[in-house]
Amino acid sequence: MTIPSSKPPTPDSRFWWDLRTRHCKYLSLSLSLARSLSSLTHYPRFFMEEEECEVSSVLNHLILAATEISEIDGFKHVIKRQCFDLSRRIRFLAPLFQELLDVTDAISNDAVSALLSLKEALASAKELLQFCCRASQVFMILEREQIKCKFNDLAFNFEEAIGKISCDKLDISEEVKEQVALVTAQFGRARELFDPPGLQLYDNLLSICNQSYDVIPEQDKLHIICEKLHFTNVGDIKQELIALDKMVVDMGGHFEKSTQDMSTVLKKIEDFILTESADVIMLSSDDSSTQADESYTKLCSQSLVIPDEFRCPISLELMKDPVIISTGQTYERACIKKWLEAGHGTCPKTQQILSSSVLIPNHVLYILISNWCEANGVEPPKRTGKLRLCKATSDGSSEFIDIDTLLSRLTSSDIEDQRCTAEELRLLAKRSSQNRILIAEAGAIPLLVDLLYALDKRTQEHAVTALLNLSICGNNKEHIMASEAVLGIVHVLKNGVMEARENAAATLFSLSTLNENKVLIGASGAIKALVTLFCEGSQRGKMDAATALFNLCLYQGNKGRAIRAGIMPKLTEMVTEPGEEMRDVALALMALLVSHPEGKAVVGSMNAMPTLVDIVTNGSPKNKENATSVLVHLCIGDPMNVSSACSLGVINPLLDLAENGSDRGKRKAAQLLELIGILRSL
């Protein structure tokens, strides 16, 4: 890493200058060493033998690297947003690599060179993101310009390499082309707009560091440092010291003196945190005006340790009315309201910009806090309002159900309680759009996801069906995906009773209506499980699996997965079998998958031509379109198939379709007639 030039240090910042210089050298040496070691494993491109540079091998490596990078988490708060942005852009490149696997023969030498550059860029990105997980936050603030240079270099390398691939000249989906264009533009903007971490923090730390040990720093500066770095307790300071000590070990002790000075700064921050905590406890003890304060005083007197997840990140007190904001973080209602009313538009914990000021009650956390209070002999917190779900009774009237009670039963250790509650939520979500919103807002989705792995099969079925009903609401789709439900749904799809498997397939269909979910679901192993249900399931199961597969395979990368899972022989069997109930659906799927080279090869080898020509002649309007579409793909680049279709009498039906069919039918018929005309003109 090149160390950018800076102005000479002033006398009062000599220590800091020395610290920055040592850090820069350390970071430069460590990253250079990592690149050197990487080059021993991944040979420089000019030493690569031709067979080692096989395009498919490089693409598989890129897919694996992008996946590994997307799974990196635990970024330090001071650099979290920048790391998430880089990780997200790289994740969006994976579909490009997946589709390029299908067109390796068309990839130019320049594109291969660009792919090798991307391979190097991904290795550097992985190294940088892992560094941002383990490094000291104070270190990264000091080296903010160095960090900026590293991120900007990566953005430039990615933008340059992607631009050389020339996606417009390759046979990949328009969706992926648009996605790649968006990512390229984002990398370009990132170099111009990248915001290095902590300018205000840098100034505050420098000010504190230049003070002598016995001088008490300004409280406002310490408060800002703690807030921005998420130093909420002594344990956070200890973790920061461990990170610094690790750097001393990595450098063989060369950094030890500077670390001692930085440790002094951290000690002042630790003293500030302890003082603030003492003030909070004294305030709670002196003010007995509310029941919540009395409870907190009791906690202090009993020396009970409040779990960190039950404390408000702002006040550090036990929450009595936890609410969720748009970033997904939970706060005490009164504290976050005060924060918002003060004009802040960001999340106090993550510093992300809030997309909405709506506060959603965190009912699940409220129940857990209440249970913990009761178990420890503390008066549980009480809220003024409760969410109630509307249930229609047998006599036509309405009954209101307390959702807190339902969620409490859903987390019960009693299997019967869980089963009955999951069934009730399933029915409540089925009957009312308002119920779907309230159930999701109450936090039921993660609890239902947990029940997808229940040993009781009926509980499992009710849970997946409840998620299906909840997914009808568009916003709930995002909540379900964010709760990592897909793996649980696939588990039910593989192992549940038939009705549960049917509803799991239907749930995947519902979730896949959002384009970004198609990629995630396809990568989860769902395609193979859906193909199995399509081949072996009940009639309804086959239909649910087919609709889910059709939707998922609109994304090019999923077509190969479905074909390799063995769907094409079953489709051909359904299309060619007289009186087959699933013929219409199977033909639509075949028309979609035959555009993939592997799909075309399978259909071409199974003597389906006579049946396809017969469907073009005698089938329903929709089936005529799909059969013609399949014939077009089979005949492109294959004169023998063109000749075979002509000998079977396809021309007159095509002329009729070209004149009287739907717009799509006319277009497909014209394509096939053009292929036949070209062959006859030769």
Side-chain angles (χ1 to χ4, degrees):
M1 180 182 291
T2 305
I3 302 175
S5 60
S6 303
K7 296 179 180 179
T10 57
D12 62 348
S13 65
R14 190 168 304 281
F15 158 73
W16 208 248
W17 179 266
D18 176 66
L19 182 59
R20 284 174 51 82
T21 304
R22 290 175 184 240
H23 271 307
C24 290
K25 290 179 179 178
Y26 165 65
L27 190 58
S28 177
L29 286 171
S30 62
L31 294 180
S32 298
L33 178 60
R35 280 195 292 270
S36 300
L37 292 174
S38 176
S39 69
L40 296 176
T41 306
H42 308 104
Y43 301 102
R45 69 183 64 168
F46 46 83
F47 283 125
M48 282 188 176
E49 297 295 333
E50 184 175 345
E51 62 269 21
E52 292 175 316
C53 199
E54 185 180 0
V55 179
S56 59
S57 175
V58 174
L59 286 168
N60 282 319
H61 179 93
L62 293 175
I63 293 169
L64 178 62
T67 302
E68 290 175 347
I69 287 172
S70 68
E71 292 173 351
I72 298 174
D73 60 8
F75 304 120
K76 295 299 177 69
H77 295 291
V78 74
I79 197 72
K80 180 180 286 187
R81 178 175 59 80
Q82 294 88 340
C83 291
F84 276 140
D85 287 345
L86 176 59
S87 177
R88 185 186 67 253
R89 292 178 191 126
I90 291 172
R91 184 172 71 249
F92 284 165
L93 290 176
L96 169 65
F97 305 146
Q98 189 73 48
E99 292 206 13
L100 288 178
L101 278 173
D102 298 333
V103 293
T104 51
D105 294 342
I107 297 178
S108 66
N109 290 335
D110 286 343
V112 172
S113 176
L115 292 175
L116 291 171
S117 297
L118 281 174
K119 183 178 177 182
E120 295 176 5
L122 285 173
S124 298
K126 182 178 179 180
E127 177 186 325
L128 178 61
L129 292 174
Q130 288 175 334
F131 173 81
C132 291
C133 290
R134 65 176 183 268
S136 155
Q137 295 196 84
V138 174
F139 171 85
M140 287 188 281
I141 293 168
L142 296 178
E143 298 304 329
R144 57 192 308 273
E145 290 301 323
Q146 297 294 332
I147 296 294
K148 176 180 179 178
C149 289
K150 189 61 180 174
F151 274 91
N152 283 350
D153 288 347
L154 275 175
F156 175 79
N157 293 340
F158 275 110
E159 183 185 14
E160 184 179 47
I162 297 169
K164 292 179 180 178
I165 295 178
S166 302
C167 294
D168 290 339
K169 299 178 182 179
L170 297 171
D171 184 21
I172 58 178
S173 66
E174 290 301 319
E175 180 182 342
V176 168
K177 288 179 182 178
E178 292 173 3
Q179 191 165 299
V180 170
L182 174 63
V183 171
T184 307
Q186 288 177 343
F187 274 123
R189 286 197 299 271
R191 291 190 293 118
E192 301 172 7
L193 304 176
F194 184 85
D195 182 25
L199 176 59
Q200 184 182 14
L201 289 172
Y202 177 87
D203 292 337
N204 288 341
L205 282 170
L206 180 61
S207 171
I208 295 171
C209 192
N210 285 333
Q211 295 173 349
S212 61
Y213 180 79
D214 55 350
V215 174
I216 300 176
E218 295 178 30
Q219 301 296 290
D220 288 346
K221 291 181 178 180
L222 289 170
H223 181 77
I224 290 172
I225 292 171
C226 290
E227 181 182 327
K228 298 294 185 183
L229 298 186
H230 289 243
F231 291 159
T232 59
N233 53 53
V234 175
D236 295 333
I237 305 299
K238 293 186 185 300
Q239 290 301 316
E240 183 73 6
L241 286 168
I242 290 172
L244 287 171
D245 289 342
K246 181 70 165 58
M247 289 186 170
V248 174
V249 174
D250 291 342
M251 287 194 63
H254 298 299
F255 188 48
E256 189 166 5
K257 174 63 173 67
S258 298
T259 304
Q260 289 173 357
D261 294 323
M262 292 168 64
S263 297
T264 301
V265 175
L266 289 171
K267 181 66 173 70
K268 292 182 179 182
I269 297 173
E270 180 180 357
D271 291 342
F272 169 75
I273 290 175
L274 290 171
T275 303
E276 288 286 292
S277 299
D279 290 343
V280 169
I281 292 174
M282 287 181 65
L283 278 172
S284 299
S285 301
D286 292 340
D287 185 1
S288 58
S289 60
T290 67
Q291 192 174 33
D293 291 331
E294 291 171 359
S295 296
Y296 192 81
T297 303
K298 187 170 183 179
L299 287 175
C300 295
S301 64
Q302 292 178 342
S303 299
L304 290 176
V305 178
I306 305 173
D308 288 342
E309 59 270 24
F310 294 170
R311 295 178 183 268
C312 172
I314 297 175
S315 67
L316 300 182
E317 294 182 9
L318 180 71
M319 288 185 278
K320 58 181 182 290
D321 189 4
V323 293
I324 305 169
I325 63 174
S326 62
T327 60
Q329 300 296 324
T330 297
Y331 297 92
E332 171 61 37
R333 181 186 293 275
C335 294
I336 192 63
K337 280 188 69 176
K338 190 173 181 180
W339 169 269
L340 295 173
E341 288 167 358
H344 298 291
T346 57
C347 172
K349 191 170 183 179
T350 67
Q351 298 305 306
Q352 291 175 271
I353 296 175
L354 299 178
S355 60
S356 167
S357 60
V358 174
L359 305 179
I360 300 173
N362 191 333
H363 292 276
V364 175
L365 184 58
Y366 174 75
I367 291 169
L368 294 174
I369 292 173
S370 297
N371 292 342
W372 180 83
C373 287
E374 290 175 1
N376 288 280
V378 178
E379 183 72 24
K382 292 183 179 179
R383 295 178 301 186
T384 55
K386 291 187 177 182
L387 288 181
R388 295 183 180 274
L389 302 176
C390 182
K391 176 181 179 182
T393 60
S394 56
D395 62 2
S397 61
S398 296
E399 174 187 347
F400 290 93
I401 302 171
D402 178 19
I403 196 168
D404 286 349
T405 303
L406 278 180
L407 298 189
S408 180
R409 287 167 52 198
L410 203 60
T411 58
S412 168
S413 58
D414 185 276
I415 295 176
E416 184 66 26
D417 248 5
Q418 284 187 340
R419 185 192 306 123
C420 294
T421 307
E423 181 179 18
E424 190 160 5
L425 285 171
R426 165 186 180 172
L427 297 174
L428 288 165
K430 179 180 180 181
R431 293 167 180 159
S432 164
S433 58
Q434 184 62 27
N435 282 352
R436 293 182 200 116
I437 296 171
L438 293 177
I439 290 170
E441 285 184 355
I445 288 175
L447 302 181
L448 289 168
V449 170
D450 289 342
L451 293 183
L452 295 175
Y453 300 96
L455 297 177
D456 181 71
K457 296 297 184 181
R458 297 301 295 176
T459 302
Q460 198 179 67
E461 177 195 335
H462 292 320
V464 76
T465 312
L467 289 171
L468 169 61
N469 294 336
L470 290 170
S471 71
I472 296 171
C473 174
N475 288 338
N476 287 351
K477 289 180 173 64
E478 296 180 14
H479 292 316
I480 292 170
M481 294 298 294
S483 299
E484 301 181 353
V486 173
L487 292 178
I489 296 169
V490 173
H491 174 76
V492 176
L493 186 60
K494 293 177 179 178
N495 305 298
V497 297
M498 184 51 67
E499 186 176 349
R501 294 174 68 194
E502 294 165 357
N503 290 337
T507 306
L508 291 176
F509 165 73
S510 177
L511 295 174
S512 67
T513 56
L514 296 180
N515 286 332
E516 59 268 28
N517 291 348
K518 290 180 174 67
V519 180
L520 298 173
I521 294 172
S524 70
I527 301 288
K528 186 174 182 179
L530 286 168
V531 169
T532 300
L533 181 62
F534 179 75
C535 295
E536 304 172 359
S538 62
Q539 191 67 18
R540 183 189 158 197
K542 290 178 180 178
M543 185 62 72
D544 287 330
T547 53
L549 284 167
F550 187 90
N551 222 27
L552 288 167
C553 289
L554 292 174
Y555 164 59
Q556 181 74 12
N558 287 335
K559 292 180 182 179
R561 293 187 174 104
I563 294 164
R564 288 187 284 274
I567 195 174
M568 297 308 291
K570 187 65 177 179
L571 290 177
T572 307
E573 176 190 321
M574 288 179 172
V575 169
T576 56
E577 187 70 27
E580 168 61 48
E581 295 180 34
M582 294 285 293
R583 171 182 271 194
D584 296 0
V585 176
L587 192 56
L589 257 177
M590 180 183 284
L592 180 65
L593 295 176
V594 76
S595 63
H596 191 284
E598 293 178 44
K600 175 180 177 179
V602 175
V603 176
S605 68
M606 298 193 71
N607 194 31
M609 187 74 72
T611 301
L612 292 169
V613 173
D614 180 65
I615 294 173
V616 175
T617 306
N618 303 307
S620 66
K622 194 66 180 176
N623 283 354
K624 285 183 179 182
E625 291 177 21
N626 287 326
T628 304
S629 179
V630 174
L631 287 172
V632 168
H633 286 289
L634 291 177
C635 292
I636 290 175
D638 195 327
M640 289 187 63
N641 280 342
V642 176
S643 179
S644 175
C646 290
S647 67
L648 290 167
V650 78
I651 294 180
N652 287 333
L654 284 178
L655 291 171
D656 180 67
L657 184 62
E659 184 176 350
N660 302 313
S662 64
D663 289 344
R664 178 172 179 262
K666 290 177 180 178
R667 188 170 66 252
K668 293 298 179 183
Q671 284 182 268
L672 190 50
L673 286 169
E674 184 179 356
L675 289 171
I676 293 171
I678 291 172
L679 180 65
R680 289 186 167 183
S681 67
L682 295 176

